Each structure stands twice: as C-alpha cells, then as structure tokens.
Amino acid sequence: MKPARVTATSASDGERDPRRWTALVVLCCASFMVILDSQIVIVGMPAMQSALALDPSAAQWILTANLLTFGGLLLLGGRSADLLGRRRIFMAGLIGFLVTSVISGFAWNAEVIITARAVHGVSSALMVPSALSILMRTFEEGAERNKAIAAWSAVGGIGATTAMLVGGWLTSNFGWESVFLVNVPVVLVLLLVSPMVLRESRDHGRRRTFDLAGALTSTAALVALVYAISEAPVVGWLSVQTTGLLALVVVLGVVFVGIEARSSAPLVPLRTLRMRTVATGNLLMVFVAMMVFSLSFLSSLYGQQVLGYSAIEYGLLGSIMPVMAIVGAYIGQAVVTRRGFRPAAVPGVVMLGVACAMLIMINVRGNYVGDLLFPFVIFGLGLGIAHTTASIVALTGVTESESGLASGLVHAAFQVGGGFGIAIVSTVAVSFSTGPDQPSELTNGFQAGFVACVVFAVVALACAVALPGRRTAVSVPDDEVRPAPVAGP
C-alpha cells in the first residue's frame, strides 16, 4: 500500500523550513489566547453578573456552556483537521473565536452571552487540536518536536497566570466587556499572519467522509461526562442525575466502540487507541490534569478565604508556579530526548505528589512563605516535566494522517481529568468542612482535598512507571499500524 499523500511537505522537510519557529510562535499565541480567555472570564464574572442582572444559575452556565462544547467536540475538531485541512480548520476556529468574543463583549442579556460562549467553545474545539496537529506536522518527531511541545506546554501556565493578573485590572478600568474584547486584536493579527507561516496539510489517503454515527456518540458521551462531573459536587455523586449520566456515558462508550470497529472511515481508529504510547500518555495526562486543576483550585481558595489575599495578590504570589513550570517543561523535553519517557515522567510525578503532601500541612494561621511558596516551586517543576512528557508520549508514533485526532485526544484527556479532579476534591473538601464557613473549618476541608491529590499522584506514578522507556523511531506508511515503542522491562 502507498503511504498517505499530503499537500504540504513532510515534517522532516519542515525541520529545514526557516519559518518553523515563527509558526510555533503563532500556534503558541493561539493556545495562550484560549487559556487566557477561559480563566479571565472567571475573574470578570462578578462584574458581569451584576451588570447583566444574572442569577447564580445563569452565571454558572456562562462557564458550563463553554466547557461542554469545548470538551465535547475536541475529537471531532481534531479529526476535521485531518480530513479537511489543518490550517483551514485552525483559521475557521480563529474566525469563530473572533466573532463570539465580539458578541460576548456586547452581550445585553443572559441568553446572548450563554449562546455566544457555547459557540465559542466550538471554535476552541476546532482551533486547539488543529494547532497542535500543525505543530506535529511542522516539527519532525524527536528533539525539535520535543522542544516545540515544551513551549506549547509552558504557554498554559503563562496564560492562566496572566488572566489572574490582568483580569481584575481590565474589569476595574474598562468594564467586564474588556475581558472578551481583549481577544480581538490578537485574533486579527493571527488571522493575518497564519496564511504566511503555516502550511496547509490534510490526509489524502482517506475519503473526506465523516463518521457521523461515531461523531454523534463520542460527542454525546463527552458532553454527558463533562456535565456529570461538573454538577456532581452540587447534586451529589449518588444522585439520579449523576448516576444516570454516568450510565449513559458507559452505554454510549460501548456503542461508540462497536461503531468504530465496523466503520470503513472511523472517527477514532481503534488501532490508534491500542498503541502503547497513545494509551499510557493520555492516561497519565488525565491524572496530571486532576492534580493540576485540584491543587490550583484548593490553593486559590485557601489563599483567599483563609489567608486573606485578594485575587490579584494571590495571582501575583502564585505566579512562581507557572514560572517554574516553564523551567520544568524544558527539563522534561531534554530528559525525554536524552533518556526516554519513563526517566522523565517518574521524577515529575513524584514532585507533584511531594508538593501535594506538603500542602496537607497548611494551617489556619499559615502564610504564603511558610505554607505555599516551597510546594508551589516543587509543583511547578513537576508540572512542567510531567505535562510535557505526557504530551510527547501521547503524540509519539502517531501517523501523520491522524495527528489531528491524537491532538484532540490529548486535550480531551486534560479537560476530562481536570473536571474529575475538581469534582472529587470539591466533594471531599465539603465533606470534611463539617462546621460553618470559618477559616478553621475551611482549612480542614482543604487539607482533606490535598490528601485526595496525593492519591491522584500515587495512581499517576503507576501510569508513569507503565510508560515505555526509550522508543525506537519506526517509519511506516500512514495506512499501516505503527509498532509500539521499544521499551524496557
């Protein structure tokens, strides 16, 4: 069989392309913008709720609507990039991002802004996996791609911290509308530059036919899963709603596997999921995300509700964590390049677990230097190493024709893992805060939440140990199964 043909040059040619690092900047800017947007909306929510006279339920749906469409459509967005053109889908996502940001900034009631945020999630689901897929096509598997993925991973922490630092300032000085409109000039620049530096590519080896049944079942399953875990702390894990939705997820998952096994053009080829790198890399990503979201959530509440810092003060003090994550990301890619997956992932996960264990010791009379600073430094380093390693592993050995799908899987794993983490630690924290919302009772709950984070770390460590050691690159046609990496015992 002949290898799949693409419209762009291969990744190895991309290594010699002088525009590849400029392309990386464009892709990282897009990722930065998505993360900044998701976090800055949270900062501007109180002002938004007051100005639009939103009740708490409507305000929550501004976040939930975006989360559901983004998390639910990631696989479909990634596969669309493979079939229709990665740059084309990326730019379609940018245009949608621009339009929905403008509409959100000028929204006059709850219905408009909730709808705009839901469509905004669709745009993000198109843009994010296609951007990472372009990165994979631009950089050949190996040292340069590892560095590019490290940069991509580091951008996440920078975006989240920037949102906390500038969100309050923008809202105070320019109104809640500015948290949406700040995206507009950035998107316009990206739309102008992208055609100049990003090469188009898509999978010509398969028919441009969508697996509609697979797309519907996978999207419905992801939406049901995200909604179930986001609402579980409120309605209860054993409620009819939560158990019913989780049962629906299981049924849809079984149906999806059956559809994919029989489809001539599956949305998610099952052979891809059977690859050791894809399976272990994404599983590790789930538990890394559970720790990242959970620790960020708990430490933010502790810093503001117990230690008394404002959101801006906490954002500034907490910025040490993403700074260290940048350092960790480049350490991680260097270790992966020189020694392999497992030697990078295991120390990274251990550092995450140690930081979570240290935070169990927080107390009501604590302070930033004595209780948070050192754990933040350790956690940041571990986060950079573990997240970068999980990303590299999950994308290693994937055929170029399925790079968009693999990128969608990585982001779906991160979103689902983060949702699970927050849902679990929220439930644990509330269960152990048995009294009124006094600092001492809140602290008891946060301590219990960090214990749960340590449990996540133990499971993540098992995933890290299961990773391949070193991999031997194998060049195969796109329509053949690429062998799993050669691993140590």
Side-chain angles (χ1 to χ4, degrees), residues 123-460:
S123 303
S124 299
L126 295 176
M127 186 167 63
V128 173
S130 59
L132 186 54
S133 178
I134 293 171
L135 183 152
M136 291 176 65
R137 295 282 298 124
T138 303
F139 294 90
E140 183 180 21
E141 190 172 289
E144 277 207 345
R145 183 188 290 181
N146 293 349
K147 291 178 182 177
I149 292 177
W152 175 276
S153 299
V155 160
I158 298 173
T161 303
T162 302
M164 294 189 67
L165 295 178
V166 306
W169 178 80
L170 282 173
T171 303
S172 299
N173 290 279
F174 302 100
W176 64 267
E177 298 88 346
S178 61
V179 302
F180 299 109
L181 298 179
V182 70
N183 297 326
V184 173
V186 181
V187 179
L188 290 174
V189 172
L190 291 178
L191 283 171
L192 178 66
V193 174
S194 293
M196 303 178 188
V197 299
L198 302 180
R199 294 184 175 187
E200 182 61 286
S201 65
R202 68 179 179 87
D203 176 17
H204 283 269
R206 293 179 176 84
R207 293 175 298 164
R208 295 172 68 175
T209 302
F210 282 100
D211 173 16
L212 183 59
L216 289 174
T217 51
S218 65
T219 300
L222 283 172
V223 168
L225 179 59
V226 172
Y227 186 68
I229 61 179
S230 64
E231 292 292 304
V234 178
V235 301
W237 284 95
L238 298 179
S239 67
V240 173
Q241 175 179 306
T242 302
T243 55
L245 285 172
L246 292 178
L248 177 62
V249 171
V250 173
V251 171
L252 289 172
V254 172
V255 172
F256 175 72
V257 170
I259 291 171
E260 299 307 278
R262 292 169 174 78
S263 175
S264 59
L267 176 72
V268 182
L270 298 183
R271 61 180 173 78
T272 301
L273 298 180
R274 287 194 294 266
M275 292 176 60
R276 185 178 176 188
T277 48
V278 172
T280 55
N282 279 287
L283 189 59
L284 176 61
M285 183 64 81
V286 168
F287 287 100
V288 169
M290 290 175 73
M291 286 184 283
V292 172
F293 280 72
S294 299
L295 182 136
S296 299
F297 174 72
L298 293 171
S299 61
S300 176
L301 292 178
Y302 172 70
Q304 295 178 64
Q305 295 181 353
V306 177
L307 300 186
Y309 296 116
S310 68
I312 295 178
E313 289 172 335
Y314 178 80
L316 182 61
L317 294 172
S319 62
I320 185 63
M321 189 158 53
V323 169
M324 297 310 298
I326 296 172
V327 177
Y330 282 93
I331 292 174
Q333 64 83 24
V335 175
V336 168
T337 301
R338 292 179 175 86
R339 299 191 58 195
F341 304 139
R342 198 185 306 136
V346 169
V349 171
V350 168
M351 294 173 75
L352 295 176
V354 168
C356 294
M358 293 176 66
L359 287 169
I360 296 174
M361 307 305 295
I362 58 173
N363 64 82
V364 69
R365 292 180 296 277
N367 57 73
Y368 173 75
V369 174
D371 292 84
L372 298 178
L373 178 58
F374 196 41
F376 280 4
V377 170
I378 297 176
F379 193 88
L381 278 173
L383 168 59
I385 295 171
H387 185 276
T388 300
T389 303
S391 299
I392 293 172
V393 175
L395 299 174
T396 293
V398 174
T399 57
E400 292 178 353
S401 65
E402 293 170 359
S403 57
L405 168 64
S407 301
L409 282 170
V410 171
H411 284 94
F414 192 73
Q415 291 294 319
V416 170
F420 261 122
I422 289 180
I424 292 172
V425 298
S426 296
T427 303
V428 171
V430 169
S431 299
F432 282 83
S433 298
T434 54
D437 288 342
Q438 298 299 320
S440 59
E441 292 297 330
L442 291 172
T443 302
N444 290 338
F446 299 149
Q447 290 173 331
F450 286 123
V451 172
C453 290
V454 173
V455 175
F456 301 160
V458 171
V459 181

